[in-house]
Amino acid sequence: MTQYNLEELRMLNQMLLALFIVADFALLLFFYNSPFPWFALLGSGIGLAIIILCWTGRKYTIFIASLLVFSALHTIVYNWSSIVH
């Protein structure tokens, strides 16, 4: 594999890992809480992003950015009925 292919796979893996972490945590919050705790999902995404940014610097910016985007996206998806009404 070329270096370009390896970099593309690393970027894809970082995005998928962030998606799976947020999706699993959002699903857990949805099943175990009657009103969806949107603040807990956003807070955990932001907190994890800050921790990773402090530990690694700007090395994993794709993971951090996708973690924040997926946290906001899942918050909107699971609270859609509360937002619309």
Side-chain angles (χ1 to χ4, degrees):
M1 294 183 88
T2 64
Q3 185 65 27
Y4 177 76
N5 290 342
L6 290 174
E7 290 295 323
E8 288 288 323
L9 284 175
R10 285 185 189 128
M11 288 172 36
L12 182 66
N13 283 337
Q14 287 179 19
M15 288 186 67
L16 288 176
L17 179 63
L19 173 66
F20 289 142
I21 287 173
V22 172
D24 288 340
F25 188 59
L27 197 61
L28 176 111
L29 288 175
F30 180 73
F31 283 145
Y32 287 113
N33 296 306
S34 178
F36 186 75
W38 62 273
F39 193 66
L41 182 61
L42 278 180
S44 64
I46 292 170
L48 186 59
I50 290 171
I51 290 170
I52 292 172
L53 184 66
C54 289
W55 278 351
T56 63
R58 299 188 57 94
K59 185 176 180 183
Y60 297 110
T61 55
I62 295 171
F63 177 73
I64 294 169
S66 60
L67 184 70
L68 293 173
V69 168
F70 289 137
S71 294
L73 181 70
H74 278 82
T75 299
I76 293 170
V77 167
Y78 282 109
N79 279 328
W80 186 254
S81 62
S82 298
I83 293 170
V84 172
H85 291 105

